[in-house]
Amino acid sequence: TPDLNVNFAGIKLKNPVLTASGTFGYGYELADLIPLKRLGGIVTKTITLEPRAGNLQPRIAEVASGILNSIGLQNIGVKAFIKEPLEKLNKLGVPVIVSVAGAAADEYVKTVRILSGQNGVSAIELNLSCPNLKKKIVCHDLSLMRDVIRGVKKVSGIPVIAKLSPLVTDISELALAAQNAGADGVTLANTYPAMAVDVRTFKPKLSTVKGGMSGACVKPMSVRCVYDAYRDIKIPIVGCGGIMTGEDAVEFILAGAAAVSVGSSSLVSPGNLIAIIDGIENILKSKDVKSVKEITGIINEIR
Ligand code: DOR
């Protein structure tokens, strides 16, 4: 059988498949539905310093080939998170990557300081790209993004992955800026700023009007983000956007993703995560590839 192990910025993953932040709750809730142990890792829903109620309903809408959301970072806050969810996550034997956001650099830093003192946090994913807040997307302000990454790196002691927005003129430039500020990896990418209108009611499908688009329709754009960034950065990439099958995951890996995260597909059915892991293994077998590392980024050799 092919070797699916990856060492992502020092985090040992038994396969490249991670959950995507916000689509898998805090993680442990799914324990009765799928064998969580089989996952490469769990990326939690984004945690902030204080609890947040999120945006008003409706904040999820299904549209053709995807899902539109405007959750607005609903979460229980870091103090409640380390009490219950984190303790339960610790017992699963799966690497836990905690997603973190904040309204200002010092909020990110305070939250990460609390988390890094805890057992069982393998890495931090900095959510620098939520499209559903009143403020502008963090990574659209380069100096704020740098302050967040630098500040967090000073206190974290564990790998820090920067999750970036796909809505930029040059994703490579943004990924390079994250790398230069000290990020150990990047996730490409968050949801795509979007909206949808219900023509029967003449009303927007989301209370906030605007939201973030995920699912099958975003895959080619996210694959392109990974491909472009892979050429310019040294740190590893988590590919994210519309991965529904093992084939989709391998596509991201060929473009340069060392790991992938799966969101919409696991919302539809969490069992898809396991099918994706098996799918990757079967493709490698059929192509006589010994290890997933062998094919990471090989599309970039074609010029
Ligand atoms: O699409 C998203 N929705 N991306 C995020 O980063 C956060 C989430 C939300 O809570 O709105």
Side-chain angles (χ1 to χ4, degrees):
T1 53
D3 177 11
L4 293 191
N5 285 286
V6 278
N7 183 327
F8 189 96
I11 321 158
K12 291 203 176 78
L13 309 174
K14 58 176 155 309
N15 64 65
V17 178
L18 311 173
T19 62
S21 179
T23 62
F24 208 66
Y26 298 105
Y28 69 91
E29 308 95 310
L30 285 288
D32 293 335
L33 294 178
I34 61 164
L36 295 177
K37 262 208 148 118
R38 290 218 41 212
L39 300 175
I42 291 175
V43 183
T44 69
K45 154 207 259 313
T46 296
I47 310 294
T48 51
L49 192 57
E50 299 299 332
R52 290 176 57 91
N55 294 323
L56 294 177
Q57 309 276 1
R59 55 189 191 182
I60 291 193
E62 241 180 280
V63 299
S65 311
I67 300 170
L68 201 53
N69 88 84
S70 64
I71 305 296
L73 301 182
Q74 179 201 19
N75 77 99
I76 58 179
V78 68
K79 290 199 181 106
F81 172 74
I82 61 177
K83 261 195 210 135
E84 212 199 330
L86 187 57
E87 275 195 15
K88 290 189 168 151
L89 279 168
N90 274 341
K91 296 189 180 120
L92 301 175
V94 181
V96 174
I97 300 168
V98 180
S99 171
V100 171
D106 71 306
E107 264 186 45
Y108 279 90
V109 174
K110 281 181 189 156
T111 307
V112 171
R113 192 182 275 133
I114 294 169
L115 286 167
S116 58
Q118 302 296 315
N119 277 329
V121 182
S122 295
I124 299 293
E125 182 177 79
L126 290 177
N127 184 349
L128 304 167
S129 43
C130 177
N132 299 329
L133 306 173
K134 291 206 181 75
K135 285 196 166 186
K136 80 175 187 186
I137 292 175
V138 172
C139 68
H140 285 176
D141 179 343
L142 270 188
S143 87
L144 173 58
M145 179 180 86
R146 287 193 190 102
D147 287 348
V148 172
I149 296 173
R150 286 194 189 120
V152 162
K153 278 298 288 181
K154 273 190 206 140
V155 301
S156 70
I158 49 178
V160 172
I161 304 165
K163 186 163 183 175
L164 304 177
S165 170
L167 195 81
V168 290
T169 42
D170 188 339
I171 193 72
S172 267
E173 202 174 77
L174 185 62
L176 254 181
Q179 172 180 286
N180 292 339
D184 301 291
V186 290
T187 301
L188 303 177
N190 209 312
T191 52
Y192 289 70
M195 64 182 280
V197 178
D198 188 335
V199 175
R200 287 168 309 161
T201 57
F202 283 12
K203 289 206 173 111
K205 291 198 173 175
L206 299 172
S207 72
T208 50
V209 183
K210 300 187 276 187
M213 186 74 210
S214 63
C217 64
V218 309
K219 188 186 67 171
M221 281 102 80
S222 284
V223 170
R224 169 73 187 268
C225 286
V226 169
Y227 174 81
D228 283 344
Y230 183 83
R231 306 188 143 213
D232 293 328
I233 63 175
K234 294 192 205 78
I235 54 176
I237 303 169
V238 180
C240 181
I243 296 169
M244 320 300 277
T245 64
E247 277 93 346
D248 297 334
V250 170
E251 206 178 329
F252 273 93
I253 293 166
L254 292 168
V260 294
S261 60
V262 175
S264 299
S265 170
S266 79
L267 276 179
V268 173
S269 167
N272 287 343
L273 285 158
I274 307 301
I276 290 166
I277 297 166
D278 292 340
I280 297 172
E281 187 174 308
N282 287 335
I283 293 166
L284 298 192
K285 246 187 231 162
S286 73
K287 298 284 285 181
D288 209 20
V289 174
K290 303 274 173 305
S291 150
V292 72
K293 293 180 277 290
E294 236 174 76
I295 60 163
T296 307
I298 58 169
I299 293 298
N300 284 272
E301 289 155 23
I302 306 164
R303 306 240 165 191

